[in-house]
Amino acid sequence: MSDITVFAADKFITMDPNMPEATHVAVRDGRVLAIGDAQCADAWGPVQHDDRLKGATVLPGLIEGHAHMMAGAIWRYAYVGYHDRIDPEGKLWPGLPDADAVVTGLKDYAKGLESDAPIVGWGFDPIFLTSERLSRDHLDQISPDRPIAIIFSNFHLMCVNSRALEMAGYDAGTNVEGVIMGQNGRPTGELQEMAAMFPIMRRLGIDFRGLSQTPEAIRAYAKVAQRAGVTTITDLFSSMEDEDVDVMLEVTSGDFPLRIVPVLGAMGDPATIADKAERLAKRSTDKLRMGAVKLMTDGSIQGWTARVRWPGYIGGQPNGMWNTAPEAIYALCAEMQARGIQMHIHVNGDEAAEVSLDAIEAALSAHPGQGHRHVLQHCQMMDRDLYERAAELGCCTNIFSNHIWYFGDQHVALTLGEDRAHRMDAARSALDAGVPIALHSDAPVTPLGPLFTAWCAVNRRTMSGRVLGAVQCLTVPEALYAITMGAAFTLKLDSEIGSISVGKRADFAVLGDDPTGVDPMALKDISVLGTVSGGTVHLL
Amino acid sequence: MSLPLTVIGGYLGAGKTTLINRLLAEDHGLQLLIMVNDFGAINVDASLIEAAGDDMIALSNGCVCCTMGADLFLAIGDVLDRDLRPDHLVIEASGIADPAAIARVAIAEPDLVYGGVVTVVDALEYDRLSNDPQIGAQVRGQVDVADVVVVSKTDGGAWPEALGVAAVPLAEIDVVGPLVCGMTPAQVPEGLATHPSYVRWHGTMRGAVERSDLIARLEARPVGLFRMKGFVSAPQGRVWEVHCVGRQVTVKEGSGPLGLVGIGLSGRVKRSQLDNWWRGFDL
Ligand SMILES: [Zn+2]
């Protein structure tokens, strides 16, 4: 049997300007051998034809440059968010628009559980609710006997029922900051921040560690990715102990349909982190790429914890909080730059972006070197001047375009105001400045789906339907480039993936329609039929 | 038995590790588990080290020092799930962290008890840092939430003018164990007598007392008595277990020998103040 497979499709959109479109792609040893028509690989010897992609439009495998592995395993809990969402098995979870809908939805869900099993929900976001706040009284309607905890979408808050409060020992006599008390002097059920949530998580067995690194979590992540046409994905703040790496290597071997780029969380002593990153890099395989690090700097804009420049938040909230002190950001940048380790730096507010660029500039003058491709992540408030500096310093930016749709209206009304909201996630400014860009979902914060993310960057619609900052819209080809080649570039994988080019991995996204042919407003509605990873077909 | 948790806060370079190194080396008789951000500056006499790994050092005095890994709260959960818990858990907060956000878990979690926030301040740097436009608010916040503030690098008479709260120079405290971890009642009578840094106090009560009355009285205690613990009679033959650190007062049902012990720092509190306060309380 021939070792060359020629795939036929309605159209391959290659993202390679030398051969932008084709009807056939030949694959050998998991890599692209030839591109063209049905005869494109004949010069290489006998071929076998594969028609499984026939009728589909095929893109390079989509690449998600900023997501978290828990996006897969979080589905072990019941989804109770405002928007419709699809789980790894393809089941649609309809959005729940208010507290009563959450009650009804979970009553149904509870029918499938043992009578005393806890119910844990996730994805709830009060920012979208106009009705009263979710409370224990709502959750007690679901069940007074079994403990119930609803984790909010930001993972900083939860709401629990009376049974769970009782298990944690929370009552009228409790005086703990973060255990919210009602007018009647009893806890309302809402718990804020880890300290207050800890007794519940411990007693209900809610374990965020189990949502990453376990074999089930890794496989669930692959399923979520496959449904989104994604063949390479990051896990952008990984702890990765040696045992974790063993598990990941084991699970991702063979025909695993996903390349994972776990990025080591950098909190603590720079040299120790750099040593660990170097050790991890040595254990990399094709499907598991390690060696980069992730820095946290500030918080989130909608939580008013991002560090923003003058004039700050429109509600007069105090400036946000550093998760890493600027001085420590400088020290980390210096060490990583000196050691040749790529950094992904979380920057939501513009002050955080500015400090990070200052730190990179200082690191570059102390340790000159090219090709570092440090990536600013989120970049939600960066404006023209910061993008120009990013370009000067050889940095990339990975822009959180999904925010425009999910939180754009809230940013206008509650955090930054109309003017600055227009330049949020300013992908056009980035391209104008010559900065390489990717676009991301930060799944599970928003759903994984690069086509949806591209739709956000192209149309800049908010949930209310308005266009937020039309001048920052991308064209469809620019957005498609950003979710393939752009993201590959930010991961330093652009020589291997990101386009359908001879020599690259045969990673494809198999789509039901042509994203360059549909109305740009329909980009998000294009169906994903599956993926091809290293030449192996994984249709849904 | 609940596990006491103390959090050591303070900005980068403030001297948290100096305090931890002293705690590890002292002969306090407690099996401490100390979680630090990294081992870089941990420095204990090699002769005290019984075992050492990548992320753990065990000392011959029973103390263990370890790095906390990626998720602090998971690490706390792991300690609570052990068969053999330490006598006291001490966590070094990272330089920019709000130590109270960590310490609060000890108030929330029934298996933990609040051991306080000790914030370390650098005498030479605090004035500058606390006024820094980027980090000033967070640095001042670490002092605001502290039950005890200790000041490092005071040699030469340096003192942070901007501090604005009572604080003690670290160099003047002869043993730091009582400050950070308190004492078990059994240790107090002799243990502290020899240490001039501390005033110790001991009280007993004859009658039973309602919880709310007890809390009101404990909250009215002289502020210099920053740690107090023990057991008090409750109505119907029950017993209240009392833990006080700084402003935090915890009273819950428990069992143990009746009596309260407390310590304060010399110069911050006088025996006569304590006795006056307690006389009004003795039913
Ligand atoms: Zn993220």
Side-chain angles (χ1 to χ4, degrees), chain A residues 207-508:
Chain A
D207 172 13
F208 287 155
R209 181 168 39 189
L211 299 179
S212 305
Q213 320 293 15
T214 63
E216 303 73 43
I218 301 166
R219 291 194 189 100
Y221 204 32
K223 281 188 176 166
V224 170
Q226 188 190 356
R227 294 199 171 274
V230 169
T231 53
T232 298
I233 197 165
T234 49
D235 177 20
L236 213 61
F237 195 90
S238 179
S239 54
M240 286 193 292
E241 305 305 332
D242 284 338
E243 318 83 80
D244 299 326
V245 179
D246 294 341
V247 171
M248 283 194 282
L249 285 170
E250 165 80 32
V251 175
T252 57
S253 61
D255 268 347
F256 191 69
L258 184 64
R259 180 176 296 97
I260 303 178
V261 184
V263 177
L264 178 67
M267 295 288 228
D269 173 54
T272 310
I273 295 159
D275 291 346
K276 187 168 177 185
E278 283 178 351
R279 281 203 308 277
L280 288 166
K282 293 200 182 88
R283 301 192 70 187
S284 287
T285 61
D286 174 35
K287 291 286 172 64
L288 193 67
R289 302 299 179 100
M290 298 173 286
V293 300
K294 163 95 176 275
L295 278 63
M296 290 301 296
T297 63
D298 63 345
S300 74
I301 301 169
Q302 71 276 24
W304 291 279
T305 49
R307 287 293 304 196
V308 302
R309 296 193 292 192
W310 190 89
Y313 293 108
I314 53 166
Q317 289 86 353
N319 205 344
M321 292 194 325
W322 299 100
N323 285 309
T324 304
E327 187 181 330
I329 296 170
Y330 273 74
L332 283 163
C333 286
E335 181 75 19
M336 300 309 152
Q337 173 63 23
R339 305 272 290 264
I341 295 170
Q342 190 193 19
M343 295 182 287
H344 295 270
I345 309 180
H346 162 117
V347 292
N348 265 320
D350 47 6
E351 188 189 9
E354 185 172 42
V355 164
S356 299
L357 287 166
D358 291 346
I360 290 169
E361 185 171 350
L364 280 167
S365 43
H367 309 285
Q370 285 160 344
H372 55 77
R373 290 191 205 172
H374 302 309
V375 186
L376 300 184
Q377 295 281 346
H378 298 325
C379 314
Q380 295 218 65
M381 289 182 68
M382 284 175 67
D383 58 1
R384 189 205 55 83
D385 64 287
L386 291 172
Y387 282 114
E388 292 288 355
R389 288 193 63 203
E392 284 167 7
L393 297 170
C395 293
C396 305
T397 57
N398 189 359
I399 298 171
F400 198 171
S401 297
N402 283 20
H403 244 259
I404 300 163
W405 193 75
Y406 280 101
F407 302 102
D409 295 322
Q410 273 77 23
H411 289 312
V412 169
L414 302 172
T415 65
L416 300 176
E418 185 76 30
D419 30 38
R420 281 177 297 169
H422 278 223
R423 65 161 167 82
M424 289 188 79
D425 304 295
R428 169 62 54 207
S429 295
L431 290 182
D432 287 350
V435 188
I437 65 163
L439 309 170
H440 69 267
S441 67
D442 200 14
V445 175
T446 72
L448 181 68
L451 287 173
F452 174 80
T453 304
W455 175 88
C456 291
V458 166
N459 298 290
R460 294 185 66 90
R461 297 291 174 122
T462 70
M463 274 172 57
S464 67
R466 62 172 296 193
V467 175
L468 191 64
V471 82
Q472 294 292 345
C473 290
L474 295 188
T475 65
V476 170
E478 285 168 340
L480 294 178
Y481 189 88
I483 60 173
T484 52
M485 278 302 289
F489 189 86
T490 67
L491 300 177
K492 294 192 173 186
L493 292 173
D494 51 308
S495 65
E496 299 177 59
I497 56 173
S499 66
I500 302 173
S501 307
V502 173
K504 287 196 176 182
R505 302 277 160 193
D507 286 1
F508 309 142

Side-chain angles (χ1 to χ4, degrees), chain A residues 167-170 173 175-179 193-196 198-199 202-203 207-209 237 239 241 267-269 272 279 307 320-328 351 355, chain B residues 11-12 37-38 40 54-55 69-71 73-78 80-81 85 94-96 100-102 104-105 107-112 128-129 133-135 138 211 248:
Chain A
M167 286 170 73
Y170 289 151
N175 182 13
V176 179
E177 198 178 323
V179 178
E193 298 300 333
M194 267 309 294
F198 177 85
R202 203 166 156 245
R203 285 165 184 77
D207 172 13
F208 287 155
R209 181 168 39 189
F237 195 90
S239 54
E241 305 305 332
M267 295 288 228
D269 173 54
T272 310
R279 281 203 308 277
R307 287 293 304 196
M321 292 194 325
W322 299 100
N323 285 309
T324 304
E327 187 181 330
E351 188 189 9
V355 164
Chain B
Y11 188 64
L12 303 164
N37 291 295
D38 57 71
D54 270 356
D55 47 14
D71 191 319
F73 286 91
L74 286 173
I76 296 172
D78 289 346
L80 291 177
D81 292 342
R85 290 181 186 170
S94 78
I96 199 71
I102 303 167
R104 202 169 290 142
V105 74
I107 308 171
E109 168 57 51
D111 289 349
L112 289 169
R128 178 180 69 79
L129 293 170
Q134 286 180 337
I135 55 165
Q138 279 170 273
R211 186 169 183 269
Q248 181 66 34

Side-chain angles (χ1 to χ4, degrees), chain B residues 174-175 178 187-200 266:
Chain B
D174 53 357
V175 293
Q187 288 171 300
V188 173
E190 299 82 17
L192 270 178
T194 56
H195 295 297
S197 302
Y198 298 95
V199 173
R200 67 183 173 83
S266 304

Side-chain angles (χ1 to χ4, degrees), chain B residues 5-256:
Chain B
L5 164 65
T6 300
V7 179
I8 298 178
Y11 188 64
L12 303 164
K16 298 190 291 290
T17 312
T18 310
L19 180 59
I20 288 167
N21 283 335
R22 285 186 58 183
L23 194 58
L24 279 168
E26 276 174 13
D27 185 18
H28 38 61
L30 294 172
Q31 301 215 334
L32 305 181
L33 176 57
I34 304 183
M35 290 188 194
V36 297
N37 291 295
D38 57 71
F39 274 160
I42 293 298
N43 180 13
V44 279
D45 189 342
S47 65
L48 289 176
I49 296 179
E50 210 163 68
D54 270 356
D55 47 14
M56 190 272 299
I57 306 172
L59 304 184
S60 51
N61 65 5
C63 293
V64 173
C65 182
C66 64
T67 54
M68 61 188 78
D71 191 319
L72 171 61
F73 286 91
L74 286 173
I76 296 172
D78 289 346
V79 174
L80 291 177
D81 292 342
R82 286 185 189 182
D83 291 337
L84 267 181
R85 290 181 186 170
D87 295 325
H88 202 113
L89 176 60
V90 177
I91 292 177
E92 177 198 15
S94 78
I96 199 71
D98 172 8
I102 303 167
R104 202 169 290 142
V105 74
I107 308 171
E109 168 57 51
D111 289 349
L112 289 169
V113 62
Y114 184 78
V117 170
V118 179
T119 294
V120 188
V121 159
D122 180 329
L124 304 172
E125 293 290 335
Y126 185 78
D127 289 348
R128 178 180 69 79
L129 293 170
S130 63
N131 286 303
D132 184 283
Q134 286 180 337
I135 55 165
Q138 279 170 273
V139 169
R140 292 193 303 275
Q142 294 172 341
V143 167
D144 291 345
V145 300
D147 296 300
V148 184
V149 178
V150 295
V151 183
S152 67
K153 302 172 202 170
T154 49
D155 25 321
W159 192 256
E161 295 298 325
L163 198 53
V165 296
V168 272
L170 185 53
E172 288 178 17
I173 305 170
D174 53 357
V175 293
V176 299
L179 181 85
V180 178
C181 300
M183 305 268 84
T184 59
Q187 288 171 300
V188 173
E190 299 82 17
L192 270 178
T194 56
H195 295 297
S197 302
Y198 298 95
V199 173
R200 67 183 173 83
W201 172 87
H202 181 246
T204 51
M205 201 179 336
R206 279 189 294 269
V209 59
E210 293 290 346
R211 186 169 183 269
S212 54
D213 293 342
L214 180 60
I215 289 175
R217 286 311 184 101
L218 293 172
E219 284 176 343
R221 75 191 189 283
V223 285
L225 187 71
F226 72 90
R227 284 188 185 282
M228 189 161 55
K229 66 195 289 186
F231 300 92
V232 172
S233 280
Q236 285 126 31
R238 291 171 301 151
V239 170
W240 299 123
E241 183 181 334
V242 172
H243 293 269
C244 302
V245 185
R247 284 157 293 190
Q248 181 66 34
V249 172
T250 310
V251 174
K252 55 187 178 185
E253 261 197 83
S255 62

